[in-house]
Amino acid sequence: MTRPPQPDFLIIGAPKAGTTALHSALAQHPSVFMTQPKEPKFWLCDGAPPPAWCGPGDKHSQQEWLWRAADYARLFAGAADHQVRGESTPFYLWSRGAHRRIAEALPDVKLIAVVRDPIDRAYSNWMHLWSDGLEPESDFETAFSLQDERVAKGWAPFWRYRDLGLYGDQLAHLHDYVDPARVLVLRYRDIVDEPRRAVDRACRFLGIRQGVVGSIPRDNSRNFVEPGWRARTMGPVVRAGARLGQFAPPEVWRRASVPLVAGLSGPGENHRPLLSAEQRERLLPTFTNDITRLCDVTGEDFGDWLTMQSRGSFRQRSSA
């Protein structure tokens, strides 16, 4: 019997927690078929186009959302019969609506959630948008505090620096719809510190052979952009270009933006500064209760997230 063109598993989150690295690693396995594009965002939609998000770059990026069932099905057309099929959209973990839609349409699907220290995740999220020239606020804590205001204005999910890291609430809601036995929770630190073991754990969960993938690619961390004249001069140009990009195919603006984004950081490789203990201390109360809930929901210990130590980017940690 021909299998329906749909995923056998989903990497559901969280953004900036190593989902790209895990997606790329699993794509190396001969028994796995991963979609391109990586993030179709189909289960965020409900048979209709995405909302008219209006944050910097949102209208351009939402052109890449797949909301038609036929378009989504075509993503899996190239899979061989022996391969398990997957896609990775890290916003599925955050989206309550996606939980329901996935449970109703894919009753046997397996879900992989990758979680990261929520403060480090939020900082990486801000850094991603800042270094791409889309985030207009040069101070992370100020940008963090603007979430509710931005949501009220209709900015897209990626701007939710706080809410995307509330994994305890997210997994508790997900478990109301999906049997926890079909949900694997991986830690970002394991993908960085013990990549082969992390990939093998995912393979074991998916029921495919372990020990096949020997390495895991570096995630998509950005070169740090120093606040200053480059950001003040080039940032508005990038944001204006992203607004105009909504009127062209997505690949056109992506190609055009490469030299502009490169110009933001200037020559050389710049590592982003670590968050200070004082910054973490100010932000930690936002997540403390949810970290406790995450421990209860998963039965695992995430107490190391309650410290004042910032752990740095994938690039910094993997080279340490």
Side-chain angles (χ1 to χ4, degrees):
M1 182 180 296
T2 303
R3 295 186 299 169
Q6 62 189 32
D8 301 301
F9 74 96
L10 301 168
I11 299 176
I12 61 173
K16 305 309 297 179
T19 58
T20 297
L22 182 60
H23 177 105
S24 300
L26 289 173
Q28 300 176 49
H29 198 297
S31 296
V32 177
F33 176 88
M34 300 300 294
T35 64
Q36 291 297 330
K38 166 184 170 273
E39 299 184 21
K41 301 182 177 70
F42 177 75
W43 301 106
L44 296 178
C45 303
D46 197 7
W53 307 112
C54 59
D58 289 349
K59 293 185 183 301
H60 160 258
S61 64
Q62 72 185 40
Q63 293 183 78
E64 299 176 311
W65 290 41
L66 297 184
W67 60 272
R68 296 180 177 87
D71 292 338
Y72 187 66
R74 275 193 288 271
L75 294 180
F76 304 95
D81 288 342
H82 72 281
Q83 291 179 308
V84 293
R85 300 157 300 179
E87 63 112 322
S88 307
T89 297
F91 300 100
Y92 292 158
L93 179 60
W94 159 80
S95 172
R96 273 44 172 184
H99 298 173
R100 174 184 54 79
R101 287 186 281 273
I102 289 168
E104 291 174 354
L106 304 171
D108 299 316
V109 76
K110 293 183 177 181
L111 308 176
I112 301 176
V114 189
V115 296
R116 178 183 186 178
D117 177 310
I119 298 176
D120 285 346
R121 192 222 66 81
Y123 184 47
S124 181
N125 194 158
W126 168 82
M127 185 65 66
H128 178 119
L129 292 166
W130 167 253
S131 298
D132 275 0
L134 297 175
E135 169 62 75
E137 177 50 62
S138 63
D139 178 72
F140 165 59
E141 287 186 85
T142 301
F144 187 94
S145 72
L146 292 173
Q147 177 189 281
D148 292 342
E149 177 182 326
R150 290 171 167 184
V151 168
K153 291 179 178 178
W155 292 29
F158 201 33
W159 297 95
R160 300 181 185 232
Y161 299 146
R162 179 190 68 226
D163 289 357
L164 289 171
L166 298 176
Y167 320 122
D169 283 349
Q170 293 163 11
L171 283 166
H173 186 272
L174 179 65
H175 288 174
D176 288 340
Y177 289 86
V178 177
D179 183 349
R182 289 195 286 111
V183 181
L184 173 66
V185 178
L186 288 178
R187 295 191 59 156
Y188 176 81
R189 73 175 189 189
D190 294 335
I191 290 177
V192 178
D193 298 340
E194 300 180 287
R196 291 190 182 187
R197 184 176 177 182
V199 174
D200 278 350
R201 189 177 171 200
C203 291
R204 184 165 60 251
F205 174 69
L206 297 175
I208 58 177
R209 188 156 60 96
Q210 301 173 54
V212 175
V213 179
S215 64
I216 192 164
R218 190 177 75 183
D219 76 350
N220 57 341
S221 56
R222 288 340 194 230
N223 205 22
F224 175 59
V225 174
E226 290 277 1
W229 71 267
R230 288 181 184 274
R232 289 194 300 270
T233 303
M234 300 294 292
V237 175
V238 172
R239 292 190 285 277
R243 284 195 296 274
L244 293 174
Q246 67 180 294
F247 302 111
E251 60 272 14
V252 172
W253 167 243
R254 292 202 182 279
R255 286 196 301 268
S257 68
V258 170
L260 293 175
V261 173
L264 277 167
S265 59
E269 186 175 57
N270 301 318
H271 287 307
R272 70 184 184 221
L274 296 176
L275 286 173
S276 68
E278 292 75 18
Q279 287 174 302
R280 284 190 60 87
E281 186 174 19
R282 288 191 291 269
L283 293 171
L284 192 55
T286 301
F287 298 105
T288 300
N289 289 340
D290 187 77
I291 292 171
T292 300
R293 188 172 196 193
L294 179 63
C295 295
D296 293 338
V297 168
T298 62
E300 299 181 30
D301 182 10
F302 293 89
D304 55 304
W305 291 352
L306 299 172
T307 69
M308 298 303 118
Q309 180 186 5
S310 179
R311 294 162 185 82
S313 68
F314 190 106
R315 189 186 313 178
Q316 291 166 312
R317 291 166 61 139
S318 58
S319 62

